[in-house]
Amino acid sequence: MVKQTVLTGIKATGELHLGNYIGAIKPALQIAKHENVNPMYFIADYHALTKVHEQQTLQEYSYGIAAAWLALGLNPKRCLFYRQSDIPEIFELVWILSCFSSKGLMNRAHAYKAIKEQNIDQGYDKDDGVNMGIFSYPILMAADILLFQAKEVPVGRDQIQHIEIARDIATSFNSQYGNVFTLPQSRVSEQAVLPGLDGRKMSKSYGNTIPLFAQKDIMKKLINKIMTDSSKPNERKDPDQSTIFTIYKEFATNEQTEKMRQQFYDGISWGEAKQELFSIVSETLEEPRVIYNEFMTDKAQLDRILQEGAERARDIAVPFLKEVKKTIGL
Ligand code: TRP
């Protein structure tokens, strides 16, 4: 059986929240369990560097993300788990790919385009605050993917365009040299978007998140802040319109979900519903929180795991890059 390489990068920018867990981490861990895939998940620390220019912050973010994924169930024996910055071959490939990426393609990449348009709106120079890392971000991402001949790339909707760009770059290279690169495909998880405290999508940019490994009392306080309507205790409530229920069902078994649904119809009070939500979330995260904290106090252990992953990844990257270089005449 030929296993398909499924690869994704995790950008290390900031504290993880419940929305990241439900929307990205959990589905990715699910995919990694399938027998017919060869999962490769990595910390995209060089992508983070396009924005994070502070030594300690960058370090803490990278370790935090690595610890969280391991704590939530990533098995590094089964899934190649590594840091992008430990694979120098990615950068040789970045330059090669740059020479096959039209500048116009980069101009159209949405992250750059958004900054540019904002600059123009505000009357600044269009490239104000844009470093070359931001501009060529999609090329680094293409190198991440193409170096390992990944077929499927699980991502959020906002990253689809980047995978398309990686395909474009690979196609332009292949049309000159034959089928060297595998064309990647994005795989967007069906997972519902988790609502945040104010009912909008849970997102750091809205400031409405519940951090994944928050202290229990803080998590409780935050859950108590979830917006509800003004219906009274004993009044029938619509579970499908409720942020509390929507989050609850992502952590509950089917049976628990149906029971809670009935309780909504029976008029559970918002206070009780929040209590139930807090219990199930904190119970689910109890053990991962312990493991997470252990890793964060033993970073040498994290380094060991990530470096081992990088070594195994380089076993694939080194010979493939050699082939690519030979093909182009280097
Ligand atoms: N840009 C992605 C994000 O912000 C992270 C990422 C970096 C990535 N390299 C990748 C995702 C390669 C998939 C494949 O989420």
Side-chain angles (χ1 to χ4, degrees):
M1 182 175 56
V2 184
K3 292 193 179 186
Q4 265 191 13
T5 297
V6 176
L7 173 145
T8 197
I10 307 150
K11 197 156 80 177
T13 43
E15 202 177 26
L16 290 169
H17 54 72
L18 298 188
N20 298 132
Y21 173 56
I22 297 299
I25 303 176
K26 209 172 151 198
L29 292 176
Q30 211 67 43
I31 295 170
K33 281 192 190 142
H34 288 182
E35 236 174 66
N36 57 350
V37 307
N38 173 26
M40 302 186 72
Y41 295 166
F42 66 94
I43 317 283
D45 50 358
Y46 268 127
H47 274 112
L49 184 64
T50 61
K51 289 207 184 122
V52 182
H53 290 175
E54 224 261 312
Q55 182 197 52
Q56 279 216 327
T57 313
L58 189 63
Q59 266 176 5
E60 282 298 307
Y61 283 173
S62 298
Y63 282 126
I65 297 265
W69 280 68
L70 290 165
L72 292 164
L74 183 141
N75 172 0
K77 296 239 155 21
R78 164 96 184 84
C79 173
L80 274 187
F81 191 47
Y82 55 95
R83 250 184 310 238
Q84 184 184 37
S85 62
D86 286 335
I87 318 280
E89 287 72 25
I90 294 173
F91 293 91
E92 286 193 67
L93 188 57
V94 163
W95 184 260
I96 294 169
L97 296 179
S98 295
C99 300
F100 292 84
S101 309
S102 73
K103 180 172 174 289
L105 192 61
M106 295 305 111
N107 288 339
R108 291 190 292 278
H110 67 74
Y112 166 68
K113 221 171 123 197
I115 304 176
K116 187 185 82 180
E117 279 163 8
Q118 201 186 16
N119 278 336
I120 291 171
D121 279 352
Q122 295 177 347
Y124 297 136
D125 181 272
K126 72 177 170 38
D127 287 328
D128 196 60
V130 178
N131 61 49
M132 285 303 293
I134 292 176
F135 188 66
S136 46
Y137 186 111
I139 305 179
L140 175 54
M141 202 161 144
D144 291 332
I145 298 167
L146 300 179
L147 183 59
F148 295 103
Q149 312 197 59
K151 237 194 147 131
E152 280 197 34
V153 186
V155 284
R157 293 201 172 277
D158 63 321
Q159 296 296 314
I160 295 175
Q161 189 201 24
H162 288 148
I163 314 302
E164 297 299 319
I165 293 175
R167 282 177 75 90
D168 286 348
I169 298 173
T171 305
S172 133
F173 185 98
N174 285 356
S175 71
Q176 177 66 24
Y177 298 104
N179 282 335
V180 175
F181 292 120
T182 303
L183 301 186
Q185 234 161 15
S186 53
R187 170 166 171 166
V188 177
S189 125
E190 302 291 310
Q191 201 56 53
V193 171
L194 208 68
L197 300 178
D198 55 1
R200 291 187 292 172
K201 173 187 171 178
M202 190 180 289
S203 161
K204 229 179 70 180
S205 46
Y206 292 149
N208 63 357
T209 65
I210 302 174
L212 202 49
F213 296 121
Q215 300 288 334
K216 277 191 182 178
D217 52 333
I218 294 176
M219 187 172 280
K220 189 160 194 169
K221 263 193 207 135
L222 286 171
I223 286 178
N224 280 329
K225 277 195 195 157
I226 293 175
M227 245 168 30
T228 57
D229 64 22
S230 57
S231 54
K232 306 244 157 14
N234 296 323
E235 237 176 273
R236 182 188 166 93
K237 296 173 177 64
D238 183 354
D240 300 309
Q241 295 299 320
S242 159
T243 298
I244 300 173
F245 183 79
T246 309
I247 301 178
Y248 182 90
K249 73 176 189 304
E250 296 299 333
F251 286 87
T253 62
N254 286 342
E255 206 178 314
Q256 287 169 318
T257 301
E258 283 323 300
K259 203 168 146 215
M260 182 55 80
R261 177 181 291 284
Q262 191 56 48
Q263 283 182 285
F264 266 68
Y265 295 149
D266 293 345
I268 189 174
S269 73
W270 289 128
E272 280 172 90
K274 286 174 174 176
Q275 179 55 46
E276 295 281 342
L277 175 61
F278 170 70
S279 301
I280 199 155
V281 172
S282 64
E283 219 168 86
T284 310
L285 296 175
E286 181 88 55
E287 202 187 313
R289 180 188 284 116
V290 174
I291 305 174
Y292 174 82
N293 288 330
E294 274 168 17
F295 274 125
M296 290 308 274
T297 48
D298 184 6
K299 298 201 171 114
Q301 167 83 346
L302 284 176
D303 280 328
R304 249 191 321 274
I305 292 173
L306 292 168
Q307 268 155 23
E308 214 181 281
E311 266 168 46
R312 284 161 60 209
R314 292 188 71 202
D315 285 343
I316 304 168
V318 170
F320 183 63
L321 182 67
K322 215 179 223 167
E323 275 308 302
V324 173
K325 287 168 74 172
K326 206 169 112 194
T327 306
I328 52 184
L330 292 170

